[in-house]
Amino acid sequence: MTIASQSTREALVAVPVSPAPTAQRPPARRRRRLSQNRWGYAYVAPFFLVFGAFSLYPFVYTAWVSLHRTSLSDIDGGTWVGLENYRDLLQSEFFWNAARNTLTIGILATVPQLCMALGLAHLLNYKLRGRTFFRTLMLMPYATSIAAATLVFAQLFGRDYGLINTALEAVGLERIDWESGTWSSQFAIAVIVTWRWTGYNALIYLAAMQSIPGELYEAAEIDGASRWRQFLHVTVPSLRPTILFTIVVSTIGAVQLFGEPLLFAGNGTTSGGSSGQYQTLGLLMYQQGWSNFHIGQAATTAWAMFMIILLVVGLAAVIGRLRARADR
Amino acid sequence: MSLSGKSKAVSAAALAVVLTTAACGGSDADASDEPYDPDAPVTLTLGLFGTFDFDNAGLYEEYMELHPNVTIKQNNIAQSAPYYKSLQTRLAAGSGLDDIQGLEIGFIADVVTNHADAFVDFAAEENADELEGNFYDWKWGQASTQDGRVVGLGTDAGPEAMCFRKDMFEAAGLPTDRAELGELWSTWDEYLDVARQYDASPTKPANSSFVDSPASIFSASVYQGETAYNDEDGNPIPAESDGVESAWEYASQAAEEGLTANLSQFGDEWVAAFPNGAFATIACPAWMLGYISSQMGDDGAGLWDVAPLPGSSESAANWGGSWLGVPADGENVEAAKDLVEWLTAPEQQVKLFTRTGHFPSSPQAAEDPEVVGHVDEFFSGAPTGQIFGESAAAIKRTPIGPYDTQIQEAFTTALTDVASSGTDPDEAFQNALEASQQAIGR
């Protein structure tokens, strides 16, 4: 395994290896270590203070709020309801609708995105004229703000005056009411996500590809493998940990999908289409908290989203570890 | 005991100070201990949203000339929804509020029910009777709590009419005289008949619809019922309301029969549809005229006209309008109250209408000859002052509630669903009720 892929795997599986032996050390030594390392602790303290204030505290506070029935203008008040919000959420068809949409938009956006990124990275790995230019160009969408990109795409996908429908009509096809259909609207949103993130993932793949030793390709070439077979049997297996990493990151992004469906509606509504056909979990949370002002419900949805992400990351870690064991 | 007697005494004194100040803040007097000096230099901030147009009508300048000691600053947010979100968090935190806050019909009921104590009670003022007399009873009533507190004074109102494209009506062979149309569609059923006639006309402009959206019909007619979304006590009852029932009846017919352009109001496509002539009518509260003229541009002058709203002989409707409230714990409460009373006084409401088109919420202002005689050249010289004045005078007080905005959105999105996906109206109605219930919570 190459160094780059090794480190991504370790980052992924994130098992704390080093602290284990510390436990067995005698307390006196530990105290000495503590005082010896006090500058080290001082240096990391700012991060943990900021982390505590802006991540840990909101995190715990959200959990606390999720156990209350309360409104946005009275967050600290409200009545204690225990796990009732969670029960209601699981029984709410709005939650399951949003979960379904998040899943389908997630698949529609992530799968083509990562495939295209892999192909792009492969192409850019060749010695091309103006390679730096293409690499920079590829990252441009990532540097665009979600709001700007979505507003432009929403106009492109417009029903009456959108460029895409004008083009469809010009070649003799029917106009599509992108926003009102279930699949068409989810497809349109997936296009925005894909447009924005493909270059970013391609760059990660490209970095990993460049650390694949050239000998592997030489050996494959001697064995008479075509470019395509080299891609399939040398590049992809070497990238496996990186691919797993990008899948995890994209999945987290997909679960949190919010800005695109909110702005795609074009008039600030948070219902995610006339029949909620593209309401995602993130948008549902926003609707509950900031349109309907039930902040307890919103906190519950936020925690449900967190659980889903934990599940996905945990699954990826298990798969990563199983693969690593199989490789050994 | 490590705490010394001295430090105890100090903390007791500090506590006493805090308590006295709190007591002062709680009473109707200014938060500071000094008596109110109307000539002391003071800077007043107004937190507003959208276009109140006090600045464009030159009212701030006028006030500052009258009161050289007062400096006025305005913090404006474009849309009312984000404005209200930040107002709520500031109310929750009890800080960051401006001296004067704008309140909109979409959330005044929430303020009235849940935050009345945070605002100065205008019904407790010495001149309360005079103030009350300045406003339509429904306008005053919408800002009143059950026990008679009044959280703000009215600025503009949204009496409704029906705007129509004269050129498109003419092309479709329909009458174009506003009075004649008012009689032709004296009820919503008749309005729908005219819509069918337009739709069937072979000479109407291609790809045009009669009305912009089913929401236009729904939002205008829902307030013509005895009740809209709430019962007398402000509890949401969308399933039992006669206003909702009949509004749904009309709007879902239009949606089902394809009589609307099915645009979502205030969305990009809706905005683009104005200059493109995609629809021939739109229900227009007074404030919508500004919207129409700015979307149409100067080329659109004389294309639109204003007729009475269908069903207006039976019952008029109000959509929109705002108030100004004074947070009770502010530093300049007395000076802020003076400014609010001045800005919302009938004389200023007249100026606001003639200069920037915001229709008064004060009958004295609405009956002022300057308002009654006002004609709008952009809208083919329609006597808007008179049309909206008649509408405003006929509005009755429909109870409003804290979830009106969300419930209205639930119904209008369900209507969009009927029009775009052909969902059965009964099923869509159930969906709307469920979405309302989700918004109301328990």
Side-chain angles (χ1 to χ4, degrees):
Chain A
M1 268 307 135
T2 61
I3 295 164
S5 53
Q6 199 68 37
S7 64
T8 32
R9 171 179 298 165
E10 265 171 21
L12 237 186
V13 186
V15 238
V17 183
S18 48
T22 349
Q24 289 139 11
R25 288 209 184 92
R29 231 179 117 190
R30 196 196 295 164
R31 206 172 302 134
R32 202 167 58 231
R33 265 183 75 99
L34 207 71
S35 64
Q36 265 171 4
N37 293 345
R38 64 169 177 264
W39 283 111
Y41 290 110
Y43 283 132
V44 296
F47 167 77
F48 282 99
L49 286 178
V50 172
F51 174 80
F54 294 103
S55 294
L56 191 65
Y57 170 70
F59 187 76
V60 175
Y61 186 62
T62 307
W64 175 249
V65 170
S66 76
L67 302 174
H68 293 77
R69 182 182 310 145
T70 180
S71 69
L72 183 63
S73 56
D74 186 28
I75 298 183
D76 291 323
T79 45
W80 170 269
V81 292
L83 293 175
E84 198 180 285
N85 281 333
Y86 289 89
R87 197 196 62 203
D88 290 348
L89 189 73
L90 291 178
Q91 288 174 353
S92 155
E93 61 174 291
F94 293 94
F95 172 73
W96 292 110
N97 173 52
R100 226 172 13 246
N101 291 341
T102 308
L103 181 72
T104 48
I105 297 177
I107 293 172
L108 281 174
T110 310
V111 175
Q113 175 195 139
L114 294 182
C115 293
M116 272 158 50
L118 206 55
L120 263 177
H122 185 66
L123 290 179
L124 286 174
N125 203 16
Y126 288 118
K127 288 197 169 51
L128 290 174
R129 193 185 294 246
R131 202 161 58 161
T132 319
F133 171 73
F134 285 118
R135 287 179 184 177
T136 315
L137 197 70
M138 199 172 67
L139 209 64
M140 291 278 281
Y142 178 64
T144 318
S145 87
I146 298 184
T150 310
L151 291 177
V152 171
F153 271 98
Q155 296 208 340
L156 291 180
F157 282 109
R159 183 192 67 183
D160 297 333
Y161 312 111
L163 201 64
I164 294 176
N165 272 350
T166 313
L168 284 179
E169 212 175 34
V171 296
L173 294 169
E174 287 262 319
R175 285 176 167 269
I176 297 175
D177 189 353
W178 293 98
E179 203 259 356
S180 76
T182 304
W183 286 108
S184 59
S185 60
Q186 297 197 354
F187 171 79
I189 289 169
V191 166
I192 308 173
V193 179
T194 307
W195 177 81
R196 227 176 142 255
W197 288 93
T198 304
Y200 170 82
N201 285 306
L203 207 71
I204 291 181
Y205 288 147
L206 187 61
M209 275 178 194
Q210 290 183 338
S211 58
I212 301 173
E215 298 91 61
L216 288 178
Y217 290 102
E218 280 167 28
E221 214 156 307
I222 290 166
D223 288 345
S226 66
R227 278 264 154 96
W228 173 243
R229 298 225 81 119
Q230 287 177 24
F231 175 71
L232 230 52
H233 294 288
V234 179
T235 314
V236 172
S238 312
L239 288 184
R240 209 181 278 141
T242 315
I243 293 175
L244 196 59
F245 168 75
T246 55
I247 290 177
V248 170
V249 171
S250 314
T251 311
I252 293 177
V255 175
Q256 294 176 333
L257 192 68
F258 164 67
E260 289 88 347
L262 173 68
L263 293 170
F264 187 66
N267 62 349
T269 52
T270 50
S271 56
S274 60
S275 53
Q277 67 270 29
Y278 55 92
Q279 186 175 55
T280 58
L281 287 171
L283 192 55
L284 175 70
M285 178 189 78
Y286 185 72
Q287 183 183 35
Q288 290 169 327
W290 284 268
S291 288
N292 301 343
F293 310 123
H294 303 305
I295 203 74
Q297 281 182 10
T300 310
T301 310
W303 261 81
M305 285 166 67
F306 175 63
M307 292 296 173
I308 293 172
I309 290 174
L310 271 192
L311 204 74
V312 170
V313 175
L315 213 67
V318 168
I319 293 173
R321 204 183 288 184
L322 285 180
R323 285 229 65 110
R325 203 173 289 161
D327 283 352
R328 239 173 252 151
Chain B
M1 286 293 275
S2 60
L3 197 69
S4 76
K6 194 184 166 195
S7 69
K8 253 190 208 166
V10 170
S11 45
L15 188 67
V17 170
V18 170
L19 286 176
T20 4
T21 344
C24 277
S27 81
D28 201 34
D30 198 315
S32 66
D33 291 337
E34 299 146 32
Y36 172 52
D37 172 10
D39 296 321
V42 61
T43 301
L44 294 174
T45 57
L46 283 97
L48 304 177
F49 50 85
T51 45
F52 274 77
D53 279 337
F54 295 133
D55 44 356
N56 296 332
L59 294 181
Y60 293 149
E61 279 161 34
E62 210 175 319
Y63 191 78
M64 288 191 275
E65 258 166 46
L66 291 170
H67 305 266
N69 59 314
V70 177
T71 313
I72 299 174
K73 281 195 181 142
Q74 173 180 302
N75 304 318
N76 199 58
I77 293 183
Q79 285 179 318
S80 69
Y83 166 85
Y84 184 44
K85 281 160 202 164
S86 74
L87 178 64
Q88 281 192 306
T89 44
R90 284 171 187 181
L91 282 171
S95 71
L97 292 163
D98 289 308
D99 293 316
I100 297 168
Q101 296 280 177
L103 304 169
E104 199 220 12
I105 189 137
F107 52 82
I108 186 107
D110 184 30
V111 173
V112 163
T113 339
N114 300 319
H115 305 290
D117 293 345
F119 287 90
V120 164
D121 174 15
F122 283 99
E125 293 296 294
E126 275 167 27
N127 56 347
D129 288 341
E130 187 195 326
L131 288 176
E132 183 171 359
N134 276 348
F135 299 95
Y136 287 113
D137 58 345
W138 47 268
K139 187 73 180 180
W140 182 262
Q142 286 172 333
S144 309
T145 65
Q146 297 273 356
D147 53 0
R149 288 180 68 101
V150 172
V151 299
L153 298 182
T155 58
D156 65 331
E160 294 208 62
M162 182 62 75
C163 292
F164 65 98
R165 280 281 292 259
K166 264 168 55 174
D167 56 331
M168 293 169 74
F169 268 45
E170 202 174 332
L174 292 170
T176 56
D177 179 67
R178 56 184 90 90
E180 199 182 334
L181 282 169
E183 293 198 356
L184 190 63
W185 60 48
S186 65
T187 65
W188 281 99
D189 281 320
E190 287 169 349
Y191 173 82
L192 290 177
D193 284 337
V194 180
R196 291 183 190 107
Q197 217 176 313
Y198 181 91
D199 202 47
S201 158
T203 52
K204 67 165 188 184
N207 295 325
S208 70
S209 303
F210 187 68
V211 58
D212 68 321
S213 62
S216 205
I217 300 175
F218 186 86
S219 312
S221 57
V222 70
Y223 286 105
Q224 287 175 314
E226 281 302 312
T227 55
Y229 304 117
N230 310 281
D231 64 12
E232 274 305 319
D233 302 325
N235 301 313
I237 45 146
E240 291 120 55
S241 152
D242 67 324
V244 170
E245 194 186 326
S246 55
W248 179 268
E249 176 77 29
Y250 305 133
S252 66
Q253 273 182 51
E256 218 182 357
E257 295 174 32
L259 304 173
T260 81
N262 194 27
L263 293 156
S264 61
Q265 288 198 316
F266 309 104
D268 295 337
E269 295 260 300
W270 181 75
V271 170
F274 275 101
N276 281 301
F279 49 83
T281 63
I282 179 170
C284 52
W287 46 264
M288 188 71 91
L289 300 192
Y291 239 104
I292 297 175
S293 54
S294 67
Q295 303 307 342
M296 296 297 293
D298 291 341
D299 298 344
L303 293 179
W304 287 88
D305 201 336
V306 186
L309 190 73
S312 58
S313 55
E314 302 263 313
S315 161
N318 176 68
W319 179 14
S322 301
W323 289 261
L324 293 178
V326 177
D329 290 335
E331 280 175 17
N332 309 307
V333 172
E334 291 301 322
K337 281 196 291 201
D338 286 349
L339 176 57
V340 167
E341 287 181 20
W342 187 83
L343 281 174
T344 57
E347 304 82 61
Q348 274 61 251
Q349 294 208 17
V350 171
K351 292 174 200 157
L352 210 56
F353 178 70
T354 50
R355 293 175 193 171
T356 54
H358 294 270
F359 197 81
S361 59
S362 154
Q364 289 91 321
E367 286 154 17
D368 188 280
E370 264 197 77
V371 174
V372 176
H374 186 79
V375 293
D376 197 321
E377 288 311 324
F378 187 93
F379 289 85
S380 312
T384 47
Q386 186 205 335
I387 294 174
F388 288 120
E390 278 169 15
S391 171
I395 291 168
K396 54 185 191 297
R397 188 186 165 187
T398 318
I400 56 173
Y403 289 102
D404 290 3
T405 311
Q406 292 89 334
I407 298 174
Q408 181 148 311
E409 193 185 305
F411 280 96
T412 51
T413 43
L415 285 165
T416 308
D417 197 34
V418 172
S420 59
S421 311
T423 308
D424 178 60
D426 291 337
E427 192 191 325
F429 189 78
Q430 287 308 317
N431 292 342
L433 283 182
E434 271 167 40
S436 315
Q437 197 53 49
Q438 149 97 344
I440 298 161
R442 275 166 306 146

